[in-house]
């Protein structure tokens, strides 16, 4: 760092300001000055000038970091819910992959994510009958699961117990009831105390002993993934004091976008298209030559491949549904990695499950939404208990107003 003194013109030039601004810095005590050697002019501390430049650059860096943090950048808030590492993600310090590979259910995962301790909100939450307004939605057989769920959430909120209670136990009981009702609405059935993975698998009417276990594994892996777009939207809503139903509605609306939950549907359509005829390698090459994107491939947070997909694809191979379909899916995954140098992600794995069992894309989305609802509720609970409002600032880059002199 410089320790010599500069002339006024040199100091102003280094700072990129006018002489008047330099004198203002001196008057505020930011820059030391002393009489010049000629006795008439003054000199200005080079070290103070460098310090001002460094402070200004740090300010710009902070502003740039804040802007970049909203797109896979620096963390913007604190959470105790989940952590992402290159080899996998963690729920309150416990490996999500290890939980999925054990016998942990989505209810077990919810109790962990919601920090329930010894309290089990699923054990004491009664099953209530659907309100008539909600039950009528089951008659609309053409409604996709997410649309049915989106329509039901505000209606379920109308007669929910303790929607704005500050009691941690009430909030967690409320969350458990909401999760069960969400799953029932996704499955177009009534709330049930049956484990969630069994309820979802049963709704597809498939005779396969391995399917419930596969769904259980997928639900645990999908339960949370730190501050993704839908979790952030949920937290913003919860920070205003909105109920869990309203906060979850914000998460669901965000999930519906093609760049979030819609990625699973795109991966399913891709698998269907690539495997509708033979030679998937040729079809993938055609897409790449046209400049088309390949759905279900890669993840910005996992440079070496999405470990959730690896775990889920391994579990799918163990169940061995429709061996021919499974072999074709595996061949497609190998082709994608060989041609693109990137491994399939969670969206591909969920779509692969649906395709392997001859289900539609809604089945994959049902798993994703049911699992992720658990994480949304965890983020809503944490945000409500923090008592803080999420209100970031915007960096205005538009036309500046003109003031009358």
């Amino acid at each position: 760092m410089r320790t010599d003194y500069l002339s006024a013109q040199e100091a102003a030039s280094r700072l990129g300001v006018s002489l008047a601004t330099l004198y203002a810095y001196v008057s505020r005590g930011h820059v030391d000055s002393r009489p010049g050697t000629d006795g008439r002019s003054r000199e200005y501390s080079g070290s103070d000038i460098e310090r001002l430049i460094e402070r200004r650059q740090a300010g710009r860096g902070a502003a740039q970091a804040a802007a970049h943090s909203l797109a896979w950048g620096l963390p913007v808030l604190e959470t105790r819910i989940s952590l992402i590492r290159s080899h996998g993600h963690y729920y309150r310090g416990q490996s999500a992959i290890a939980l999925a590979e054990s016998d942990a259910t989505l209810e077990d995962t919810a109790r962990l994510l919601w920090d329930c301790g010894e309290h089990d909100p699923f054990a004491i939450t009664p099953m209530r009958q659907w309100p008539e307004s909600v039950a009528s939605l089951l008659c609309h057989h053409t409604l996709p699961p997410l649309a049915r769920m989106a329509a039901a959430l505000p209606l379920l909120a109308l007669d929910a117990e303790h929607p704005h209670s500050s009691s941690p136990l009430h909030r967690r009981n409320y969350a458990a009831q909401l999760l069960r009702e969400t799953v029932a609405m996704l499955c177009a059935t009534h709330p049930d105390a049956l484990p969630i993975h069994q309820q979802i698998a049963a709704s597809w009417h498939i005779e396969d002993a391995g399917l419930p276990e596969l769904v259980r594994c997928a639900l645990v892996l999908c339960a949370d993934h730190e501050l993704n777009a839908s979790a952030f939207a949920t937290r913003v809503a919860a920070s205003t004091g909105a109920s869990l139903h309203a906060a979850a509605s914000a998460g669901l609306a965000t999930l519906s976008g093609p760049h979030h939950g819609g990625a699973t549907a795109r991966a399913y359509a891709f698998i269907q298209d690539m495997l509708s005829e033979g030679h998937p390698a040729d079809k993938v090459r055609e897409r790449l030559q046209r400049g088309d994107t390949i759905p279900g491939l890669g993840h910005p947070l996992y440079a070496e491949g999405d470990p959730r997909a690896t775990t889920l694809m391994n579990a799918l191979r163990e169940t061995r549904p429709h061996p021919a379909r499974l072999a074709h899916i595996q061949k497609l995954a190998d082709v994608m990695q060989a041609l693109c140098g990137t491994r399939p992600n969670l969206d591909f794995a969920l779509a692969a499950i649906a395709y392997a069992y001859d289900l539609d894309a809604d089945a994959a989305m049902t798993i994703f939404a049911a699992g992720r609802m658990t994480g949304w509720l965890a983020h809503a609970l944490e945000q409500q208990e923090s008592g803080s409002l999420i209100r970031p600032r915007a960096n205005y880059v538009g036309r500046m107003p003109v003031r009358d002199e």
Side-chain angles (χ1 to χ4, degrees), residues 91 94-105 108-109 112 216 220:
Y91 300 150
Q94 295 191 36
S95 167
I97 291 175
L99 288 169
E101 291 177 340
S102 69
D103 59 355
T105 64
D108 295 330
T109 306
L112 174 62
R216 182 204 60 77
V220 172

Side-chain angles (χ1 to χ4, degrees), residues 5-8 11 31-38 41-45:
Y5 277 71
L6 310 173
S7 69
V31 177
D32 180 53
S33 72
R34 68 183 185 186
T37 55
D38 59 8
S41 61
R42 296 192 68 81
E43 297 176 337
Y44 301 87
S45 169

Side-chain angles (χ1 to χ4, degrees), residues 14-28:
R14 286 193 63 79
L15 283 170
V17 300
S18 65
L19 290 175
T21 300
L22 172 65
Y23 302 149
Y25 284 141
V26 174
S27 67
R28 294 170 188 159

Side-chain angles (χ1 to χ4, degrees), residues 256-272:
S256 68
H259 298 298
H260 191 5
T264 302
R266 290 207 313 277
Y268 183 90
F270 172 76
I271 292 173
Q272 214 173 25

Side-chain angles (χ1 to χ4, degrees), residues 107-121:
E107 290 89 341
D108 295 330
T109 306
R111 286 188 286 267
L112 174 62
L113 289 173
W114 301 348
D115 196 23
C116 290
E118 298 300 317
H119 177 62
D120 184 359

Side-chain angles (χ1 to χ4, degrees), residues 142-175:
T142 58
L143 276 179
L146 260 61
R148 189 167 50 242
M149 177 179 163
L153 283 174
L155 298 173
L156 290 169
L158 295 177
D159 60 353
E161 293 184 7
H162 315 299
H164 297 286
S165 173
S166 60
S167 164
L169 292 184
H170 281 168
R171 284 177 170 170
R172 281 153 181 78
N173 294 345
Y174 178 24

